[in-house]
Amino acid sequence: MSTTTLPCCHQLLASDSHAAVLTDVERPRQSISDDRDERSATGGWTVILVLAGVTSCLGSAVPAGFNIGVLNNAANLIGRFCNESIKERYDVDISESGLKIVWSTIVSIFLVGGVTGSFIASWLADRYGRKRTLCVGNIFGIVGAIMFFSVQKLNSIEVLLAGRLSVGLAGGFATCVVPMYMAEIAPLRLRGAVGVLCQLGVTCGVFLGQIAGLDTVLGTANSWQYMLGSFIPLCVFALVLTTIVLPESPKYLFIIKEQKQKALDELSRIRNMDLMLLQVEIANLHQEIEKKTTSEPWTIKRIVKDPSLKLPLFLVCMIQFGQQMSGINVVFYYSNSIFLQAGLGVAGAQYATLGTGVANIVMALVSVPVMSSLNRRGVLLTSNYLCFGCLVVLCSTILLINVTSYMPFVCTVAILAYVIFYGIGLGPIPYFIGSELFDVGPRPIAMALGSVFNWGGNFIVGMMFPIVETIIGAYTFLIFAGFLLILGHIVRIYLPETRGRSTMDVAASVSQGFNSRPNSRRVI
């Protein structure tokens, strides 16, 4: 471990401000969380912070979303290629059911990569740093894109599958590391705003993938392989910029690596402020490092067994899982058929579906100031219950869509309303809530486990929805509505408010496991 010491002025700053913190600890917890933390927050948007946000969003989150949405419009083209490739290379006439299995594998292997990438990213983030881990994710994206470019030339489904696995790994890196990295380099009062960037990037990526798949863009028999890899400039741009310009997380350097002087230099560069003006942040770093009572590394086993972490770990995993079980991807899937029934025509339905993507992006942008000014818990509960109402209305109107002429219109409104309400809370909050519930030590693994539950929920919905929908039809939406009720109940009872509060304060409020009642004296 590093034994680097602070210069004298830094020691004085740390000592004085740490004394102030100790004084604050003697106050009631409510005063600490809502008064001292909010008022003492220093720093704002700087060039480095903006550049870090733009780079990680465009280079990691956007490609992850792109690879989620790019297959939909070009499904028939890629399916035809698979059929012809298997027949030519293996002299086998694949059946329709066999082709469905091949297609399901192409779709689901991306999700397998996402789960695997989340686990790998948590280990790399602690061992080699947040910044280097982002670079590794970009490399996986570049490798996957190169594989896509060569699919038709090699006439190989195996290369297509390998490419999907590679970009899935990159997606897992993005959803695990981007929220953590941005939360650790941002000042306290901007933590919510930067936490939205991952969701914003994924949302924009899905939309770009839908556009790329149109037959008027790259969704053609001769260009679909270029469509799949067209995100590669973003990964190259991010890899270069991250390597050369972006800072490492000061919290990672200070607390995990104990490279204190380097951490303070990076903190000063990010804030564009002299260290004399960063007393509170330096004191908080010292306070967090004092909690490192053991050199034993954080592992999944240690986190799961730690009684004080059971509730926050449950919350992170449940909220991430609940985001996918809200049925957002199914709503997007159903929207095209509903727009067709509304009489928009094939082209009109495609562009209306793109309209839902635009609405999702707009709400992701709106959520940036919302996360800075409104409480996380209240916004998440509001979003949750409004989405529940939209799903109930959507189920009812789909069942009655042929009864009256205005039902398709009501269905369309329900879909758009659902997308809007989802985008304001259920969309962004699950991605960054783990960075506000956990201290720096267990944070990477906890967020990785949350990301695994997110990708796992996506996998379950993607694999099970076609089967369940065949059996019970539109009533499938009531299953998702039921999950939202369960999620809302858990959030209402157990999720503490995190806006404007230090992670140490938040962690203390849920340290008693399921006996914790962090909201017993708080009002939404």
Side-chain angles (χ1 to χ4, degrees):
M1 293 185 181
S2 171
T3 57
T4 305
T5 57
L6 298 173
C8 293
C9 63
H10 294 162
Q11 292 175 338
L12 290 173
L13 285 175
S15 174
D16 292 344
S17 54
H18 185 53
V21 172
L22 292 177
T23 303
D24 280 333
V25 169
E26 297 172 358
R27 299 189 219 165
R29 183 175 304 283
Q30 182 72 29
S31 174
I32 296 174
S33 62
D34 294 338
D35 182 26
R36 180 181 64 81
D37 283 342
E38 192 79 40
R39 286 187 294 103
S40 61
T42 57
W45 291 106
T46 62
V47 173
I48 290 293
L49 185 59
V50 171
L51 195 60
V54 170
T55 303
S56 58
C57 180
L58 288 179
S60 300
V62 169
F66 182 92
N67 285 291
I68 291 173
V70 74
L71 289 183
N72 291 337
N73 288 333
N76 291 333
L77 291 170
I78 301 175
R80 193 180 309 127
F81 162 79
C82 294
N83 191 19
E84 293 172 356
S85 177
I86 292 173
K87 185 175 182 179
E88 181 179 337
R89 295 180 63 207
Y90 301 105
D91 196 24
V92 174
D93 287 319
I94 189 169
S95 64
E96 185 175 344
S97 61
L99 190 58
K100 285 184 178 179
I101 293 174
V102 172
W103 181 253
S104 297
T105 305
I106 292 172
V107 172
S108 60
I109 199 170
F110 172 76
L111 304 177
V112 172
V115 172
T116 308
S118 298
F119 272 124
I120 296 173
S122 68
W123 178 76
L124 289 177
D126 259 359
R127 188 172 182 86
Y128 299 108
R130 288 30 168 169
K131 173 180 170 178
R132 290 179 180 175
T133 306
L134 285 173
C135 292
V136 174
N138 295 143
I139 292 171
F140 275 121
I142 292 169
V143 170
I146 293 172
M147 289 181 180
F148 291 146
F149 291 150
S150 61
V151 166
Q152 277 202 333
K153 185 176 181 179
L154 297 176
N155 192 27
S156 173
I157 293 178
E158 293 83 359
V159 173
L160 176 60
L161 289 170
R164 289 286 292 172
L165 178 62
S166 186
V167 296
L169 289 168
F173 274 63
T175 56
C176 177
V177 181
V178 170
M180 175 170 54
Y181 174 69
M182 291 307 302
E184 289 181 1
I185 68 172
L188 182 62
R189 64 190 184 90
L190 294 180
R191 201 171 56 190
V194 300
V196 174
L197 292 177
C198 184
Q199 165 66 8
L200 176 61
V202 171
T203 300
C204 291
V206 171
F207 179 67
L208 292 175
Q210 292 171 338
I211 291 177
L214 293 174
D215 54 13
T216 55
V217 187
L218 291 173
T220 66
N222 295 322
S223 60
W224 62 263
Q225 73 273 23
Y226 303 115
M227 170 198 76
L228 293 179
S230 58
F231 64 88
I232 192 171
L234 295 177
C235 291
V236 173
F237 158 79
L239 179 61
V240 172
L241 212 59
T242 303
T243 303
I244 298 175
V245 179
L246 296 193
E248 182 53 271
S249 162
K251 285 193 173 184
Y252 166 77
L253 293 172
F254 198 96
I255 297 168
I256 303 299
K257 304 302 288 185
E258 297 190 15
Q259 297 176 1
K260 297 180 180 180
Q261 186 57 55
K262 186 176 180 181
L264 293 176
D265 291 341
E266 291 284 57
L267 179 64
S268 178
R269 184 163 76 98
I270 295 168
R271 298 287 179 270
N272 194 26
M273 298 171 68
D274 189 273
L275 288 173
M276 293 291 293
L277 303 175
L278 297 171
Q279 299 180 52
V280 174
E281 283 201 71
I282 295 172
N284 286 338
L285 289 173
H286 278 282
Q287 195 172 7
E288 287 193 51
I289 203 171
E290 287 174 4
K291 293 185 66 177
K292 285 184 61 177
T293 57
T294 176
S295 59
E296 180 186 352
W298 285 101
T299 62
I300 294 177
K301 182 178 179 180
R302 181 184 173 192
I303 289 177
V304 170
K305 285 190 172 183
D306 193 322
S308 66
L309 299 181
K310 284 185 178 179
L311 180 55
L313 184 62
F314 171 77
L315 287 170
V316 168
C317 293
M318 191 63 194
I319 293 173
Q320 287 266 37
F321 185 71
Q323 183 198 59
Q324 292 301 320
M325 297 307 295
S326 69
I328 181 63
N329 290 325
V330 173
V331 169
F332 277 118
Y333 170 83
Y334 235 109
S335 63
N336 195 63
S337 62
I338 292 173
F339 293 144
L340 284 172
Q341 292 185 57
L344 297 180
V346 176
Q350 281 188 343
Y351 287 107
T353 300
L354 291 179
T356 62
V358 172
N360 208 11
I361 292 173
V362 170
M363 295 314 299
L365 290 170
V366 170
S367 65
V368 174
V370 167
M371 289 301 106
S372 296
S373 57
L374 298 179
N375 289 346
R376 319 275 196 260
R377 182 171 172 268
V379 171
L380 183 58
L381 281 172
T382 302
S383 173
N384 189 86
Y385 290 130
L386 288 174
C387 285
F388 166 82
C390 290
L391 289 175
V392 173
V393 171
L394 189 56
C395 174
S396 303
T397 52
I398 289 175
L399 292 171
L400 302 172
I401 199 165
N402 295 318
V403 175
T404 59
S405 59
Y406 61 83
M407 279 301 172
F409 173 76
V410 177
C411 278
T412 302
V413 172
I415 289 173
L416 291 173
Y418 177 90
V419 170
I420 290 171
F421 297 144
Y422 170 88
I424 202 68
L426 272 171
I429 292 176
Y431 283 113
F432 70 83
I433 194 66
S435 66
E436 299 187 342
L437 288 173
F438 285 89
D439 287 332
V440 174
R443 182 179 294 160
I445 294 178
M447 293 190 70
L449 289 173
S451 184
V452 166
F453 271 77
N454 189 286
W455 287 97
N458 195 341
F459 179 81
I460 291 171
V461 171
M463 294 298 290
M464 297 302 297
F465 170 72
I467 300 172
V468 176
E469 194 272 334
T470 300
I471 300 172
I472 64 176
Y475 290 107
T476 308
F477 287 110
L478 296 184
I479 297 176
F480 299 127
F483 271 99
L484 286 179
L485 280 182
I486 295 171
L487 179 62
H489 184 67
I490 292 170
V491 169
R492 185 171 54 83
I493 295 176
Y494 292 114
L495 181 66
E497 181 50 55
T498 60
R499 183 175 73 90
R501 301 173 68 186
S502 70
T503 52
M504 290 175 292
D505 185 22
V506 174
S509 70
V510 291
S511 61
Q512 300 303 310
F514 291 95
N515 293 323
S516 303
R517 287 297 184 270
N519 304 303
S520 58
R521 297 182 180 179
R522 298 182 72 86
V523 180
I524 298 175

